[in-house]
Amino acid sequence: MKLWTIQSESVYTKFKDTGILQADEKFIYKDMIFHYNWMVKQMKKRVGLATSQEIKYPIWAWYQWRGVKQKKPDLRFSGHLERGARGVILELEVEPESVLLSDFDEFNNVLNYGYIADNEEDFDKFYVDLEKSGYCHYDLQRDDKKNDILSKFKLKFYKSWEKVFDLECEKNEEWSGKKENQSIQATMWEVKWNQIVSVKHFIAK
């Protein structure tokens, strides 16, 4: 499976020295730890445990940056790294069974604590039913409110996040966009030096 991962120049230098690229927890924003931990649980469930207990979080990469016609990230665009930062894009060839693919745009719903609906009707019904039961969206994130009714909504809410991994399902194009335009991200526990196909250095726009 061909993937591309974008890393800073300093991370790449360390990678050259060690031969193994692993995620460093100190670079993860604190307000994203919950979502990283959620992805870790999904990795363990769908890919398996990491090869070392020292590996806490996965490496992120691209399988399909902007649809089937633009799989490789275009470095002429901004947003890959902080503007002006020196980085590298590594083309990788990895074993498919070591990778967990997910819908990048839907994962943004996860990052924003959003309910992932199949269509507009599903979305509206979830929140109408939630409000009829006397709760709001923010109650889904709170741990201090616990009862059977709210627990059922939370279960459905967090279960909806797992739709990010269902890349083959038929979706409502008016709601989710066309499948051929999907942006698909990849997560894996580590990258080894012998998995590199090519390296390109760049300065982020």
Side-chain angles (χ1 to χ4, degrees):
M1 176 184 287
K2 183 176 290 188
L3 303 174
W4 294 268
T5 185
I6 294 173
Q7 303 292 334
S8 68
E9 191 80 54
S10 60
V11 168
Y12 175 66
T13 299
K14 183 179 179 181
F15 185 18
K16 284 197 297 184
D17 292 338
T18 62
I20 298 177
L21 176 62
Q22 296 174 348
D24 191 332
E25 185 177 357
K26 71 181 182 182
F27 293 116
I28 302 174
Y29 293 114
K30 289 184 179 180
D31 59 353
M32 295 181 70
I33 286 292
F34 175 84
H35 305 95
Y36 268 69
N37 286 335
W38 178 82
M39 182 60 86
V40 165
K41 290 179 182 178
Q42 296 299 320
M43 287 281 292
K44 291 177 179 178
K45 174 182 175 182
R46 299 166 187 271
V47 174
L49 298 174
T51 55
S52 168
Q53 292 184 348
E54 295 180 359
I55 302 175
K56 293 184 178 181
Y57 295 101
I59 292 291
W60 250 261
W62 286 106
Y63 172 74
Q64 188 168 290
W65 182 60
R66 287 193 176 179
V68 295
K69 294 183 179 180
Q70 183 64 65
K71 286 195 167 187
K72 181 180 179 180
D74 190 334
L75 300 177
R76 294 172 296 180
F77 284 75
S78 62
H80 297 301
L81 292 173
E82 187 176 335
R83 185 180 179 86
R86 293 183 177 275
V88 295
I89 180 169
L90 307 177
E91 181 183 339
L92 310 172
E93 190 64 44
V94 303
E95 295 297 326
E97 57 267 25
S98 67
V99 176
L100 181 58
L101 299 179
S102 55
D103 187 303
F104 173 76
D105 293 314
E106 293 285 29
F107 186 69
N108 278 311
N109 281 321
V110 174
L111 295 178
N112 290 301
Y113 283 95
Y115 172 68
I116 299 180
D118 294 326
N119 49 54
E120 188 173 0
E121 292 77 14
D122 178 27
F123 182 87
D124 290 342
K125 185 178 187 306
F126 178 81
Y127 283 105
V128 167
D129 290 346
L130 182 67
E131 290 181 10
K132 283 182 178 179
S133 299
Y135 301 102
C136 67
H137 175 79
Y138 296 102
D139 291 324
L140 298 169
Q141 304 171 36
R142 295 174 59 177
D143 292 326
D144 59 334
K145 279 193 173 185
K146 294 182 179 180
N147 60 60
D148 290 344
I149 295 176
L150 185 57
S151 293
K152 288 181 180 179
F153 279 105
K154 284 186 175 182
L155 181 63
K156 185 174 182 179
F157 176 73
Y158 288 116
K159 186 67 177 177
S160 79
W161 288 5
E162 296 189 32
K163 293 177 183 178
V164 301
F165 305 112
D166 192 357
L167 301 176
E168 299 302 321
C169 71
E170 292 298 325
K171 296 185 177 181
N172 183 326
E173 290 188 352
E174 292 183 0
W175 180 252
S176 302
K178 293 184 177 180
K179 183 174 289 188
E180 60 264 31
N181 294 332
Q182 264 183 320
S183 293
I184 301 174
Q185 61 184 3
T187 48
M188 53 202 151
W189 290 121
E190 62 183 2
V191 178
K192 296 180 180 178
W193 188 257
N194 62 8
Q195 293 175 312
I196 296 177
V197 176
S198 67
V199 180
K200 181 177 177 61
H201 296 257
F202 71 100
I203 298 176
K205 302 292 185 181

